[in-house]
Amino acid sequence: MSIEFLNLRRVNEPLLDEIQQAVARVVNSGWYVLGAETAAFEEEFARYCGVRHCIGVGNGLDALHLALRARGIGPGDEVIVPSNTFIATWLAVSQAGARVVPVEPNERTCNLVPDRVEAAITPRTRAIIPVHLYGQPAEMESINAIARRHGLFVLEDAAQAHGARYNGSRTGSLGDAAAFSFYPGKNLGGMGDGGAIVTNDDDLATTIRKLRNYGSTVKYRHELVAVNSRLDEIQAAILRVKLRALDSENARRSGVAAAYAKALAGIPLQLPVVAPGAEPVWHLYVVRTQQRDALQAHLRKNGIETLVHYPIACHKQQAYAGTDWPALPIAEKLQGEILSLPMAPYLTSEEIQTVAASISKHFS
Ligand SMILES: *Cc1c(COP(=O)(O)O)cnc(C)c1O
């Protein structure tokens, strides 16, 4: 049996008829950008997250970047980000012209440590971007308390955590604003690029609506030097179908995670740790071992595809060479020890057992 890391055809298979009808509806409508589908998706996704506003944009990176810009964050400002995130979190800060201030995660949850966030605050700090990495919400209660004490903007990077909950509330409603990605491989993924910002802040939402559309709300009147970054009608129509299936797909992912945890118990492998108050949505199932490369090679030989999220920490990337970064030993240790097992709503118990048996064999 060969097991792919993720097969999007299999993810979307149960919804293909509905998706094809949604796409046909847009094709036949003759209206392809900023129309009824995008407006409907924005309303539905805002309601899903439990917030007032959703603004669809071109991708998750733009969602992060436009939220920072709308808040007036730019040159001379510092933004706190995790040292172990996907590079988009860092790029958004750099694109805004602000300075990236990396903070190390808790090794077991892989999410930001609030005390370390507070220690990194300077008079120039303007914002914190907690990332709900691998689908698990960050420790938002403590992070929000710190932000309130210091007057900072909290922007959730929720690109991996659609539908996750923290103390009963959904990601997207946990900070001042949140950025989502609808890249095809995400828990809520389209069939192309897409993203959104959600927020309860009316002014921020109004500014982002302008920023995504040439600084304009009235056609051919331009108030800001802005960008073109819009969620298109076809993606919005597909995402409306997929949003209706999100909770049941996330429940299946939880079932897969529970089955992995049961089958892998007793093996000398660090399994994912769920923090108090967190209800993750298992975007990824990430295990840890010092024998990571050997384990990955063994699984590959047995037809099981795994990935590493991420193999090179952001401060070690060529894009960020030439800056005198502080020591970031946890990010560097994690990059050598983490391994993402196949994770998708469709995985069968037979496939899960096959992966677990192969891992077990490696350690026996
Ligand atoms: C995917 C992702 C992004 C960026 O989303 P794109 O739509 O690919 O631009 C940002 N942050 C995190 C944590 C991600 O996983």
Side-chain angles (χ1 to χ4, degrees), residues 280-300:
V281 287
W282 303 103
H283 175 59
L284 296 169
Y285 192 87
V286 179
V287 298
R288 260 180 82 194
T289 167
Q290 287 176 6
Q291 306 176 34
R292 194 270 314 278
D293 292 342
L295 175 61
Q296 185 171 37
H298 165 84
L299 291 171
R300 190 183 304 121

Side-chain angles (χ1 to χ4, degrees), residues 59-61 64 85-86 88-89 131 157 159-160 181 183 186 194 310:
N59 54 69
L61 172 58
L64 288 163
T85 182
F86 178 57
T89 319
V131 179
D157 182 338
Q160 301 190 357
S181 163
Y183 180 75
K186 308 289 186 182
Y310 298 88

Side-chain angles (χ1 to χ4, degrees), residues 21-34:
Q21 283 164 29
V23 171
R25 188 169 72 230
V26 175
V27 170
N28 290 325
S29 78
W31 192 280
Y32 307 118
V33 172
L34 292 188

Side-chain angles (χ1 to χ4, degrees), residues 59-195:
N59 54 69
L61 172 58
D62 283 355
L64 288 163
H65 165 229
L66 295 179
L68 292 173
R69 261 193 78 181
R71 184 61 182 233
I73 291 164
D77 297 331
E78 292 179 1
V79 178
I80 292 171
V81 298
S83 58
N84 63 323
T85 182
F86 178 57
I87 196 150
T89 319
W90 286 43
L91 292 175
V93 175
S94 302
Q95 281 184 7
R99 202 162 79 80
V100 170
V101 176
V103 165
E104 293 263 82
N106 174 316
E107 272 190 50
R108 297 170 71 84
T109 64
C110 295
N111 274 333
L112 272 182
V113 175
D115 286 349
R116 294 189 184 130
V117 170
E118 187 148 39
I121 292 171
T122 76
R124 291 173 181 274
T125 308
R126 294 284 312 282
I128 306 167
I129 310 184
V131 179
H132 307 310
L133 200 68
Y134 309 147
Q136 163 152 240
E139 290 178 52
M140 294 303 292
E141 196 173 323
S142 306
I143 291 170
N144 284 331
I146 292 165
R148 270 196 301 277
R149 276 204 293 282
H150 297 270
L152 306 177
F153 178 57
V154 177
L155 173 59
E156 299 170 69
D157 182 338
Q160 301 190 357
H162 317 70
R165 283 190 167 99
Y166 177 79
N167 290 344
S169 299
R170 290 238 203 247
T171 58
S173 69
L174 303 171
D176 296 309
F180 285 91
S181 163
F182 307 123
Y183 180 75
K186 308 289 186 182
N187 287 39
L188 178 59
M191 295 183 166
D193 278 311

